[in-house]
Amino acid sequence: MPFDYIPPLLRASEKRIVLLVLDGLGGLSIEPGGPTELEAAKTPNMDRLASEGMLGQTIPIRPGISPGSGPAHLALFGYDPIQYEIGRGVLESNGVGLHVGPGDVAARGNFCTLDANGNIVDRRAGRISSQQAAPLVERLKTISLPGLSTEVSLVKEYRFAVVLRGEGLQADIDDTDPQRTGVPPLPAVARTPESESTADLFNQWIAKAFEVLSDDEKANGLTLRGFSTDPNLPSFQSSYGLNPVCISVYPMYRGVSRLVGMKVVEFDGEQPEDEFAAAAEVWNEHDFFFIHIKKTDSKGEDGDFEGKAKIIEGVDAALPTLLALNPDVLIITGDHSTPALLKSHSWHPVPFMLWAPATVRPDDQTKFGERPCARGSLGNFTALDTIPLALAHAGRLEKFGA
Amino acid sequence: MPFDYIPPLLRASEKRIVLLVLDGLGGLSIEPGGPTELEAAKTPNMDRLASEGMLGQTIPIRPGISPGSGPAHLALFGYDPIQYEIGRGVLESNGVGLHVGPGDVAARGNFCTLDANGNIVDRRAGRISSQQAAPLVERLKTISLPGLSTEVSLVKEYRFAVVLRGEGLQADIDDTDPQRTGVPPLPAVARTPESESTADLFNQWIAKAFEVLSDDEKANGLTLRGFSTDPNLPSFQSSYGLNPVCISVYPMYRGVSRLVGMKVVEFDGEQPEDEFAAAAEVWNEHDFFFIHIKKTDSKGEDGDFEGKAKIIEGVDAALPTLLALNPDVLIITGDHSTPALLKSHSWHPVPFMLWAPATVRPDDQTKFGERPCARGSLGNFTALDTIPLALAHAGRLEKFGA
């Protein structure tokens, strides 16, 4: 349980919480004294909410730690990623709807290009499209191993997920991606004696995969990483008494949401307004709405400062649709920072806004941005505190002790 | 020990620390952008101290958690209430001077009104006065059980404390208050096999109590709650090397102070100036003074914004008496927030001021209030850090390591 002291305090409530996550929201100035991406963006709606609400900054994992997307979201959901380690294989598999049960082992796969000697010449197989990868994944699905079942699913472009289902499979296995070209993929090597037989099974699967892929020009090889099994996380429902739903375009975020027991909804479109419309569709069926916006992070990774600011402006422009639903508690934040300046995830604290008209103690900040957040009344705090704060402002927690 | 690393660092000192707790001090604005209770109050003395001292905000238990009075004070004293769980029975009993030793079990009692069928019609017996309750408590004192001794004491109005003293009594017993009217009081039910014989003893005591109360018009029944035994807390003296005293009008706060080994002084009057005069009386005998003001919380619970501000003004007006004693370290804070807007304890951070002329690093804040505290140099921190900070500013801690 993320917080042992919370379940005994839970109180029934009709109040609804929205956690709107702009992936990689935190940024940096590209010139001394200049604005960050969020500060450069014109965000009249968020600025109004900031005036009425409270600001602060979250530390995603620990100070100085740049988180991956999985751990950063787990932290936002209150599950300390230092305590709850979850492999990329499980995250990706869940993201594309492949369940990973106890005893199963999942891995994330990359197609790659091998030369005549079996050395890697392109670790991402020329970044083939999803369309190009789909028939290759079909070939991988034909592979069978004695005594167990396997499932493979396309993730996106050159990425796929594979799950071996058996009894007592163990996942302490090193990645087969050598992280460079000019050398062959590594074999699956067990880190513990208990994982050796599972590593053998994966090596058999890999050998058969190389056979079925051998005549493809670009994707004639593959690497596997993030071997992992069911983390058996306590559910959001049992931890917080919430009936949560995930609204996300990208598989990874759906995966991590499923791991904590969120329902994941299907919807058309990829824009913020499409996501907010999806929230409206299920508004009466849930009381916690995790809405994930991916493109802030993508633009940050691309080093596209203005592009990231535009994405934020797009979310701001769509916000009235979400506000029309009358959430009782609205949190707008990121899972981590992805400053365009750095073109990567970073460890910088993440802007955080909590708006809850009935119970906020407003600070005197009037804009949503890194500087105002650094001066906000919530101060700097761990992302793990996000859900407990939301529960409190939703009137969902009884007093602790008499 | 609250902080294992502190006792080896303790250094003898003559310096005196005052912890002035205005119960439920933290508040909220009642109109958008308006002042909180503390900000609305005219507090020239506190404002001067704030100018000279340092401000911050404490998190009483954990973010989002609204604390009861017992846990909130334990936290201020440095004892993490998540780690040190203490029942209401023990707190109340200690508050009225009933010691609860190992093997004893204490409970908090409420007189209630039963109808002819034994169903509760008033859970607080019409809120009878202490004067009305006193003879009823005398009747309860006449009850004897074979093989053990019992003690009963009036707490206030319809509330009393009862302690069963025996050998190996166990306190895992559910409250007998059904929390509603129209049904009879519940029997004492053990949650563990080890507590069953103790629950039986309490049920015998309850049966006899119903007999001796049966002819009273209002208080012909009772309920018990917070069954608990000696928490065996490490003392303030051994934890911090301090010789502490509690100055409080209300029993609960005396109780929690006794639990950590504070001396509790008797004094006349209920006003801040009476409490400060009591501190003056024992000024030379102690080096740590916990002074508790209750009425800020009471007014907050009543939803009386202006009343709460007036109480704060009253404390401020009396402050010169306290300052005339020349404390070396003065902390003014609350145990939690009780915003009049919410009429209840809340999870909001608590204004905190530390004044210590010899060692403060002043921030640029010039008023005592929620907004200045949110901008103060102490930042947001857990209430558990209060005593270590006080010890440091009193020159009572050696350097850690060479």
Side-chain angles (χ1 to χ4, degrees):
Chain A
M1 201 64 65
F3 305 94
D4 288 339
Y5 51 89
I6 285 199
L9 302 179
L10 291 171
R11 169 160 75 186
S13 166
E14 294 293 303
K15 294 200 174 173
R16 286 177 168 70
I17 299 165
V18 173
L19 173 64
L20 174 58
V21 175
L22 280 66
D23 205 295
L25 177 62
L28 289 173
S29 318
I30 48 174
E31 55 199 36
T36 64
E37 296 92 321
L38 174 59
E39 290 170 349
K42 286 186 186 62
T43 54
N45 291 306
M46 291 184 197
D47 292 346
R48 177 178 66 79
L49 295 171
S51 304
E52 298 172 10
M54 301 187 290
L55 302 185
Q57 299 189 113
T58 58
I59 313 291
I61 311 281
R62 296 289 187 277
I65 303 303
S66 301
S69 302
H73 275 84
L74 280 179
L76 268 180
F77 298 160
Y79 301 75
D80 187 347
I82 303 283
Q83 183 189 346
Y84 298 99
E85 222 181 311
I86 296 165
R88 187 80 185 202
V90 168
L91 284 175
E92 295 281 8
S93 300
N94 269 277
V96 292
L98 294 188
H99 174 69
V100 183
D104 302 343
V105 171
R108 220 295 287 283
N110 276 7
F111 288 113
C112 66
T113 312
L114 305 176
D115 66 16
N117 299 319
N119 292 327
I120 299 173
V121 291
D122 188 323
R123 288 175 54 239
R124 295 184 186 86
R127 292 182 182 268
I128 54 170
S129 69
S130 296
Q131 224 171 347
Q132 292 171 297
L136 301 171
V137 167
E138 290 306 312
R139 291 192 208 173
L140 295 179
K141 287 181 182 173
T142 66
I143 300 171
S144 68
L145 291 176
L148 42 79
S149 71
T150 62
E151 281 195 75
V152 189
S153 182
L154 178 65
V155 171
K156 207 171 178 119
E157 299 164 354
Y158 56 91
R159 303 192 298 268
F160 63 89
V162 53
V163 182
L164 299 198
R165 300 191 191 286
E167 276 178 31
L169 298 183
Q170 298 279 332
D172 281 325
I173 300 172
D174 281 332
D175 294 353
T176 76
D177 183 346
Q179 297 283 343
R180 59 195 176 102
T181 56
V183 295
L186 300 168
V189 176
R191 288 191 294 261
T192 61
E194 294 76 23
S195 295
E196 275 173 15
S197 61
T198 308
D200 284 347
L201 290 168
F202 269 104
N203 283 324
Q204 289 174 40
W205 186 87
I206 292 168
K208 295 191 181 197
F210 280 31
E211 282 172 31
V212 302
L213 298 174
S214 59
D215 67 348
D216 194 84
E217 203 176 318
K218 285 182 175 167
N220 60 345
L222 56 78
T223 57
L224 299 181
R225 63 175 69 186
F227 293 94
S228 42
T229 189
D230 176 27
N232 198 18
L233 296 179
S235 75
F236 225 70
Q237 174 79 49
S238 63
S239 303
Y240 304 126
L242 292 167
N243 177 9
V245 65
C246 159
I247 296 161
S248 168
V249 173
Y250 271 56
M252 235 288 296
Y253 310 94
R254 297 165 162 243
V256 70
S257 300
R258 274 201 196 91
L259 281 179
V260 298
M262 288 192 199
K263 190 176 167 192
V264 175
V265 295
E266 302 296 330
F267 58 97
D268 293 327
E270 298 203 342
Q271 299 305 315
E273 44 270 35
D274 301 321
E275 301 199 50
F276 298 159
E281 282 291 319
V282 294
W283 191 250
N284 292 323
E285 296 156 39
H286 295 276
D287 48 28
F288 182 89
F289 302 78
F290 161 52
I291 307 178
H292 180 263
I293 307 282
K294 175 66 181 171
K295 287 182 182 163
T296 30
D297 179 61
S298 312
K299 296 292 182 186
E301 294 258 15
D302 292 345
D304 182 356
F305 184 98
E306 290 191 8
K308 186 174 165 189
K310 284 277 176 229
I311 298 291
I312 296 168
E313 292 182 354
V315 174
D316 191 82
L319 264 184
T321 322
L322 182 62
L323 293 171
L325 297 170
N326 287 317
D328 298 285
V329 178
L330 170 61
I331 289 169
I332 306 181
T333 187
D335 55 339
H336 53 73
S337 295
T338 307
L341 182 73
L342 302 181
K343 297 187 181 177
S344 68
H345 294 200
S346 82
W347 62 92
H348 298 86
V350 184
F352 183 98
M353 174 208 298
L354 190 153
W355 179 85
T359 50
V360 291
R361 180 192 284 167
D363 30 38
D364 292 332
Q365 305 306 324
T366 56
K367 302 237 173 220
F368 191 37
E370 279 79 352
R371 287 169 178 85
C373 284
R375 292 189 293 260
S377 65
L378 291 170
N380 287 8
F381 61 101
T382 167
L384 296 170
D385 293 336
T386 302
I387 305 297
L389 274 177
L391 290 173
H393 283 278
R396 288 175 166 271
L397 293 178
E398 300 280 359
K399 192 161 66 173
F400 178 92
Chain B
M1 201 66 66
F3 305 93
D4 287 339
Y5 51 90
I6 286 202
L9 303 180
L10 290 171
R11 169 160 76 187
S13 165
E14 293 292 302
K15 294 201 174 172
R16 286 175 167 69
I17 299 165
V18 174
L19 174 63
L20 174 58
V21 175
L22 280 66
D23 204 295
L25 177 62
L28 288 174
S29 317
I30 47 174
E31 55 199 38
T36 65
E37 297 89 321
L38 175 58
E39 291 170 349
K42 285 184 188 64
T43 54
N45 291 306
M46 292 185 197
D47 292 346
R48 177 179 66 77
L49 295 171
S51 304
E52 297 171 12
M54 301 188 290
L55 302 185
Q57 300 189 114
T58 58
I59 313 290
I61 310 281
R62 295 289 187 278
I65 303 301
S66 302
S69 303
H73 275 83
L74 280 180
L76 267 179
F77 297 159
Y79 301 75
D80 186 348
I82 302 280
Q83 184 189 345
Y84 298 98
E85 223 180 311
I86 296 164
R88 187 80 187 203
V90 167
L91 284 175
E92 295 281 8
S93 300
N94 269 277
V96 293
L98 295 188
H99 175 69
V100 184
D104 302 344
V105 172
R108 219 297 285 282
N110 276 7
F111 288 113
C112 66
T113 313
L114 304 177
D115 66 15
N117 300 317
N119 292 326
I120 299 174
V121 291
D122 188 322
R123 289 174 54 239
R124 296 184 186 85
R127 293 182 182 268
I128 53 170
S129 69
S130 297
Q131 224 171 346
Q132 291 171 297
L136 301 171
V137 166
E138 291 307 313
R139 292 192 208 172
L140 295 180
K141 287 181 181 172
T142 66
I143 299 172
S144 68
L145 292 176
L148 42 80
S149 72
T150 62
E151 282 195 74
V152 189
S153 181
L154 179 64
V155 172
K156 208 173 176 110
E157 299 163 353
Y158 56 90
R159 303 192 299 268
F160 63 89
V162 54
V163 182
L164 299 199
R165 300 192 191 286
E167 276 178 32
L169 298 183
Q170 298 280 332
D172 281 324
I173 300 172
D174 281 332
D175 294 353
T176 76
D177 184 347
Q179 296 284 343
R180 59 196 175 100
T181 56
V183 294
L186 300 168
V189 176
R191 286 190 295 260
T192 60
E194 294 75 24
S195 295
E196 274 171 18
S197 59
T198 309
D200 284 347
L201 290 168
F202 270 104
N203 283 323
Q204 289 173 41
W205 186 87
I206 291 168
K208 294 190 181 197
F210 280 30
E211 282 171 31
V212 302
L213 298 174
S214 60
D215 68 349
D216 194 83
E217 203 176 317
K218 283 181 175 169
N220 60 346
L222 57 80
T223 57
L224 299 181
R225 63 174 72 186
F227 293 93
S228 43
T229 188
D230 176 27
N232 198 20
L233 295 179
S235 75
F236 225 70
Q237 175 78 49
S238 63
S239 303
Y240 305 125
L242 292 166
N243 176 9
V245 65
C246 160
I247 295 161
S248 168
V249 174
Y250 271 58
M252 236 288 296
Y253 310 94
R254 298 164 163 243
V256 69
S257 300
R258 275 201 194 90
L259 282 179
V260 298
M262 289 191 198
K263 190 176 168 191
V264 175
V265 296
E266 302 296 331
F267 58 96
D268 294 326
E270 299 203 342
Q271 299 305 314
E273 45 272 33
D274 301 321
E275 300 200 51
F276 298 159
E281 283 292 320
V282 294
W283 191 250
N284 292 323
E285 297 156 40
H286 294 276
D287 48 27
F288 183 90
F289 302 79
F290 161 53
I291 306 178
H292 181 263
I293 307 281
K294 174 66 182 172
K295 287 184 182 162
T296 29
D297 179 61
S298 313
K299 295 292 183 187
E301 293 258 14
D302 292 344
D304 182 356
F305 184 98
E306 290 190 8
K308 186 174 164 190
K310 284 275 176 230
I311 299 291
I312 297 168
E313 291 182 354
V315 175
D316 191 82
L319 265 183
T321 323
L322 183 63
L323 293 170
L325 297 170
N326 287 317
D328 299 284
V329 178
L330 169 61
I331 289 169
I332 306 181
T333 187
D335 55 339
H336 53 73
S337 295
T338 307
L341 182 72
L342 302 182
K343 296 186 181 179
S344 68
H345 294 199
S346 82
W347 62 92
H348 297 86
V350 185
F352 183 99
M353 174 207 298
L354 190 152
W355 179 85
T359 50
V360 292
R361 178 193 286 166
D363 32 37
D364 293 333
Q365 305 306 324
T366 55
K367 301 239 173 216
F368 191 37
E370 279 78 353
R371 288 171 177 84
C373 284
R375 292 189 293 261
S377 65
L378 290 170
N380 288 7
F381 61 101
T382 168
L384 296 169
D385 293 336
T386 301
I387 304 298
L389 274 176
L391 290 173
H393 282 277
R396 289 176 165 269
L397 294 179
E398 299 281 359
K399 190 162 66 174
F400 178 92

